Amino acid sequence: GSKVPIYLYRPLSDRYDNPRDLAKITNLFEEYVSNNSNYHLIDARESPYWDEALYSTTKGIFLEDRVHYCSEIQAWFAKKQWELFFN
């Protein structure tokens, strides 16, 4: 059979105030990507919307609830996924 590409999104929300578990998930995702050529990690910090100056609020990528991504970053994720898929 053929390999199906798997796209993972680096978790960036700090809304739940659980940095230890967030780090565990991030490390797990990075391990998957490093060990499997069909896994890809998409990181919103690479988008033009990420803004370190807004780190304590929306970071430029979240809605005001700091959990759900804004529409611009959703579109960026989709574009990035297609770029990875066709390259």
Side-chain angles (χ1 to χ4, degrees):
S2 61
K3 292 184 175 183
V4 175
I6 305 293
Y7 300 94
L8 304 170
Y9 301 90
R10 180 179 299 280
L12 294 172
S13 177
D14 56 7
R15 181 73 170 141
Y16 300 110
D17 195 25
N18 195 347
R20 185 179 60 175
D21 287 342
L22 186 63
K24 286 180 185 178
I25 292 170
T26 301
N27 290 338
L28 180 65
F29 284 3
E30 288 173 347
E31 184 179 330
Y32 282 154
V33 170
S34 68
N35 293 325
N36 300 285
S37 62
N38 60 315
Y39 279 74
H40 307 277
L41 185 61
I42 300 176
D43 189 342
R45 294 176 301 178
E46 297 171 3
S47 78
Y49 305 103
W50 174 261
D51 187 343
E52 191 72 31
L54 299 173
Y55 194 80
S56 65
T57 59
T58 67
K59 299 177 177 129
I61 60 172
F62 292 111
L63 297 176
E64 293 300 319
D65 65 3
R66 295 181 6 219
V67 174
H68 297 95
Y69 290 109
C70 65
S71 61
E72 293 85 2
I73 200 68
Q74 293 284 5
W76 180 85
F77 277 137
K79 180 181 178 204
K80 187 71 173 176
Q81 182 175 341
W82 283 113
E83 287 173 1
L84 289 168
F85 184 78
F86 287 112
N87 289 326

